[in-house]
Amino acid sequence: QLQLVESGGGLVQPGGSLKLSCTTSGISLDRYAIGWFRQAPGKEREEIACITFNGRTKYGDSLKGRFTISRDSAKNTAYLQMNSLTPEDTATYYCSARHISYCPSEFDHWGQGTQVTVSS
């Protein structure tokens, strides 16, 4: 069973940056597409970005340019670099995975989420 673990969330001031990590143990993520999503209270889940096993990326229209998805196979970890954060970015951020060669519309495995709070 693939268990994803996110880390790197926390409290950051407006205009700041955070880098989230998503990893697992015991299973290689090499052949998995990895996705990052977020959900704020009272709002629908929003897709942020996806990266395939060979590094192709896909971004949600509203966030491309401030957020960057990447992965490091040697560390079995995917990342989400978030810059120029605003209070509207406050949400729980989730990573997801699916054993597939392209960025899918649905993912099979989900982490527990990490909270990001942007506030002064």
Side-chain angles (χ1 to χ4, degrees):
Q1 180 71 17
L2 181 62
Q3 293 184 324
L4 300 169
V5 178
E6 304 96 335
S7 61
L11 175 63
V12 62
Q13 291 188 342
S17 298
L18 278 177
K19 187 173 186 178
L20 306 182
S21 300
C22 172
T23 191
T24 188
S25 59
I27 298 176
S28 172
L29 292 175
D30 278 358
R31 292 295 173 178
Y32 284 80
I34 305 295
W36 282 99
F37 292 77
R38 69 182 183 183
Q39 188 165 21
K43 294 188 177 182
E44 293 186 354
R45 187 175 65 194
E46 179 183 15
E47 182 176 8
I48 300 170
C50 171
I51 187 166
T52 64
F53 75 98
N54 58 355
R56 287 185 295 176
T57 58
K58 171 187 168 186
Y59 289 90
D61 290 338
S62 63
L63 296 169
K64 187 177 182 179
R66 293 195 299 124
F67 289 16
T68 303
I69 191 171
S70 61
R71 66 192 300 165
D72 184 335
S73 296
K75 295 183 178 179
N76 207 35
T77 301
Y79 303 97
L80 184 68
Q81 176 68 47
M82 307 186 294
N83 298 327
S84 303
L85 289 164
T86 73
E88 289 67 40
D89 295 315
T90 295
T92 302
Y93 286 69
Y94 299 90
C95 75
S96 58
R98 183 172 173 182
H99 195 272
I100 203 164
S101 61
Y102 56 88
C103 283
S105 58
E106 299 289 339
F107 287 83
D108 298 326
H109 308 280
W110 293 84
Q112 293 298 308
T114 186
Q115 178 66 36
V116 172
T117 302
V118 185
S119 175
S120 56

